């Protein structure tokens, strides 16, 4: 790892295909269900999938996406034509979805998948079970160095859910949003980290942390992390396709749908997302109140309310994550409560102390704590204050190096009336940036 651990979220070369994706809609459009269904049917009908086995990789419930509409269209286009149809939930390292959650998420009656999706199988990505994975090969340390612009020189075993490789075709189906690790989510990211093993997850997330969330989030084109993900995806033996959509945050409406290779469909959707999911402010704000929707069930996911707002907070300012429904930092990653939340330099300047921990957990820590510095004399100094107004006990919050606010004391109307505070309902998906940063780019 580089001592400075600093790099711009620059574009790097990629070997991805460059054929244009088919698409409908755009930044100002709102597609009807009929338009979406017709588009999906047409694209899949012409994709040469007859008699093929198809694994459809979809997001969990932490993303806005009209999944029942999209999956019904996919099922209608492929049922009876393909030899096998499996839906794989891309959990990354999130908690598994039980039957009740799956039924709501995919839009079928609980315990009766066949009534809406006859012949289809649905499985969670069981990332906690080593038998889930198959190794696709290794990306060498030298190649990782090239892809990461010299930030990391560490070989990585590329492991993937074997459900993908056990099918002839892997079809990514999901939304694209600005993202704190890779620039814009979607495309091959549904494979890595969506249904990937720990090594590539840790490496890719730590690379994003070294660049820093504030620098990479909302960066268009092939960022170093996207380049690493694309390199890993090229090892997948199955044919890869993608239906990438741009959803209206917090609703089921679609602005756009794009179909093609994961590289091409993602690129087309990211262009729309950049015009749809980014808001620009003329001046920084002293305080942000991020009101987190219920789909974020812990701080591991609700932290997106910080990532998307950090760029517009003034030095010395504060981001308040208001989520009374959240009662724990992370059920699946309890070690984050022990490590706490710290800026990137806190870890890189003490690397011997932290290098053997999960790099993905370290990355999450830095993403929520934001920009800052660390040295042995003055300790850690972070640019902004991060405050949790949640159902998590005060001692746990403060023990994780975050500020605490009793959620019962949060008066949303008072914050809305405060000229120094930006109140963001349904926070977590729309990115806020300063207009000056856009002009400088």
């Amino acid at each position: 790892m580089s001592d400075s651990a600093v790099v711009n979220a620059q574009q790097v070369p990629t070997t991805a295909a460059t054929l244009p994706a088919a698409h409908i809609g755009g930044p100002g459009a709102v597609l009807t269900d009929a338009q979406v269904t017709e588009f999906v049917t047409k694209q899949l009908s012409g994709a040469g999938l007859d008699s093929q086995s198809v694994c459809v990789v979809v997001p969990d419930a932490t993303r806005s996406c009209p999944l029942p509409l999209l999956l019904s269209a996919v099922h209608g286009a492929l049922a009876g034509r393909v030899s096998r149809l499996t839906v794989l939930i891309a959990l990354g390292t999130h908690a598994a979805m039980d039957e009740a959650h799956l039924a709501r998420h995919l839009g079928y009656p609980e315990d009766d998948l066949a009534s809406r999706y006859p012949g289809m199988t649905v499985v969670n990505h069981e990332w906690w079970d080593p038998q889930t994975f198959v190794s696709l090969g290794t990306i060498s340390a030298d190649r990782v160095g090239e892809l990461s612009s010299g930030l990391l020189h560490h070989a990585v075993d590329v492991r993937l859910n074997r459900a993908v490789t056990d099918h002839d075709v892997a079809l990514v189906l999901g939304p694209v949003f600005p993202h704190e690790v890779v620039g814009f989510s979607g495309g091959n990211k549904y494979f890595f980290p969506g249904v990937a093993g720990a090594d590539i997850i840790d490496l890719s997330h730590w690379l994003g942390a070294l660049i820093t969330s504030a620098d990479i989030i909302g960066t268009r084109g092939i960022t170093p992390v996207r380049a690493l993900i694309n390199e890993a995806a090229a090892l997948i033996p199955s044919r890869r396709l993608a239906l990438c959509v741009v959803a209206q945050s917090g609703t089921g409406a679609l602005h756009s749908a794009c179909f093609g290779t994961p590289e091409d469909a993602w690129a087309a959707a990211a262009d729309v997302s950049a015009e749809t999911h980014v808001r620009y402010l003329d001046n920084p704000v002293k305080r942000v109140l991020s009101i987190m929707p219920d789909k974020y069930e812990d701080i591991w996911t609700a932290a997106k309310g910080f990532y998307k707002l950090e760029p517009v907070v003034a030095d010395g300012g504060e981001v308040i994550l208001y989520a009374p429904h959240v009662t724990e930092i992370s059920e699946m990653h309890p070690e984050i409560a022990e490590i706490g939340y710290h800026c990137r330099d806190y870890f890189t300047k003490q690397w011997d102390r932290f290098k053997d921990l999960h790099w993905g957990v370290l990355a999450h820590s830095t993403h929520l704590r934001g920009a800052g510095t660390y040295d042995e004399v003055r300790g850690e100094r972070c640019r902004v204050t991060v405050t949790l107004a949640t159902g998590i006990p005060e001692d746990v919050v403060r023990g994780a190096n975050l500020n605490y606010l009793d959620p019962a004391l949060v008066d949303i109307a008072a914050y809305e009336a405060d000229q120094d505070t930006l109140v963001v309902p349904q926070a977590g998906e729309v990115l806020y940036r300063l207009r000056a940063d856009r002009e400088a780019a």
Side-chain angles (χ1 to χ4, degrees):
M1 184 176 63
S2 168
D3 289 338
S4 62
V6 177
V7 70
N8 292 326
Q10 63 194 49
Q11 295 186 17
V12 298
T14 177
T15 57
T18 57
L19 295 175
H23 68 277
I24 56 170
V30 176
L31 301 175
T32 66
D33 290 0
Q35 287 176 309
V36 173
T37 300
E38 181 182 3
F39 176 78
V40 173
T41 301
K42 178 180 179 181
Q43 299 310 314
L44 292 180
S45 296
L49 301 180
D50 286 358
S51 302
Q52 299 286 290
S53 58
V54 178
C55 179
V56 185
V57 184
V58 304
D60 65 10
T62 60
R63 274 73 172 163
S64 291
C65 178
L67 203 51
L69 168 65
L70 294 169
L71 195 56
S72 290
V74 169
H75 181 269
L78 297 183
R81 292 181 50 218
V82 299
S83 62
R84 183 160 48 109
L85 185 62
T86 303
V87 170
L88 177 61
I89 309 295
L91 296 174
T93 58
H94 296 171
M97 301 184 73
D98 62 21
E99 173 60 18
H101 281 88
L102 287 172
R104 288 196 300 272
H105 187 46
L106 304 182
Y108 64 87
E110 189 172 344
D111 296 319
D112 193 10
L113 176 68
S115 66
R116 182 162 185 172
Y117 303 110
M120 191 176 82
T121 302
V122 177
V123 294
N124 278 297
H125 167 57
E126 297 180 343
W127 55 270
W128 53 89
D129 182 359
Q131 297 304 311
T132 293
F133 301 101
V134 61
S135 178
L136 304 181
T138 300
I139 303 177
S140 71
D142 286 345
R143 182 57 176 156
V144 170
E146 293 174 2
L147 296 168
S148 68
S149 300
L151 275 183
L152 290 171
H153 294 272
H154 190 282
V156 60
D157 181 17
V158 179
R159 300 181 68 78
L160 188 70
N161 191 303
R162 64 178 65 251
V164 175
T165 60
D166 285 348
H167 289 74
D168 300 314
V169 179
L171 172 63
V172 168
L173 175 63
V176 173
F177 288 102
H179 194 270
E180 63 278 2
V181 173
V182 68
F184 280 88
S185 66
N188 284 324
K189 188 178 177 298
Y190 276 88
F191 299 120
F192 306 99
V195 293
D199 288 354
I200 188 71
I201 290 177
D202 283 350
L203 188 75
S204 61
H205 279 67
W206 187 236
L207 175 56
L210 293 177
I211 297 169
T212 76
S213 169
D215 279 351
I216 203 170
I217 193 168
T219 297
R220 297 167 79 165
I222 307 300
T223 64
V225 182
R226 174 65 63 174
L228 177 64
I229 288 171
N230 285 350
E231 185 87 359
L235 298 174
I236 299 174
S238 309
R239 181 187 178 194
R240 292 177 294 114
L241 296 170
L243 176 63
C244 296
V245 300
V246 180
Q248 189 175 63
S249 179
T251 79
L254 288 184
H255 296 295
S256 179
C258 308
F259 179 82
T261 67
E263 295 82 7
D264 300 329
W266 165 80
D271 284 345
V272 178
S273 179
E275 299 299 321
T276 304
H277 297 140
V278 185
R279 306 283 185 270
Y280 291 94
L281 303 184
D282 290 327
N283 298 296
V285 297
K286 291 183 179 180
R287 184 183 303 104
V288 171
L289 179 68
S290 286
I291 302 176
M292 307 311 301
D294 290 347
K295 67 184 175 185
Y296 302 120
E297 298 181 346
D298 59 9
I299 294 302
W300 189 271
T301 54
K304 289 181 181 294
F306 176 81
Y307 312 151
K308 299 298 197 302
L309 276 303
E310 180 189 5
V312 298
V313 180
D315 291 350
E318 179 185 29
V319 176
I320 302 170
L321 298 182
Y322 178 61
H325 65 281
V326 169
T327 59
E328 57 188 338
I329 290 179
S330 174
E331 177 185 358
M332 308 310 296
H333 303 280
E335 61 268 41
I336 189 63
E338 301 171 11
I339 297 169
Y341 288 93
H342 301 280
C343 68
R344 177 198 63 194
D345 291 3
Y346 180 87
F347 297 116
T348 59
K349 297 294 179 63
Q350 304 179 86
W351 191 237
D352 285 343
R353 177 183 170 191
F354 294 105
K355 64 182 180 181
D356 295 326
L357 300 176
H358 277 299
W359 292 5
V361 175
L362 300 183
H364 168 73
S365 173
T366 71
H367 290 150
L368 179 54
R369 200 60 189 87
T373 60
Y374 174 85
D375 63 59
E376 293 181 355
V377 176
R378 291 175 292 184
E380 183 177 24
R381 295 181 296 171
C382 294
R383 191 180 74 83
V384 302
T385 297
V386 182
T387 299
L388 301 189
T390 67
I392 302 173
E394 180 175 0
D395 63 324
V396 175
V397 173
R398 296 196 185 280
N401 198 36
L402 300 175
N403 197 28
Y404 173 84
L405 174 63
D406 184 344
L409 301 180
V410 173
D411 184 338
I412 295 175
Y415 280 116
E416 290 174 332
D418 180 6
Q419 63 180 0
D420 291 328
T421 300
L422 173 66
V423 177
V424 182
Q426 296 288 321
E429 291 179 335
V430 174
L431 171 64
Y432 285 73
R433 281 203 172 279
L434 294 176
R435 198 173 307 279
D437 293 340
R438 181 185 194 181
E439 293 169 354

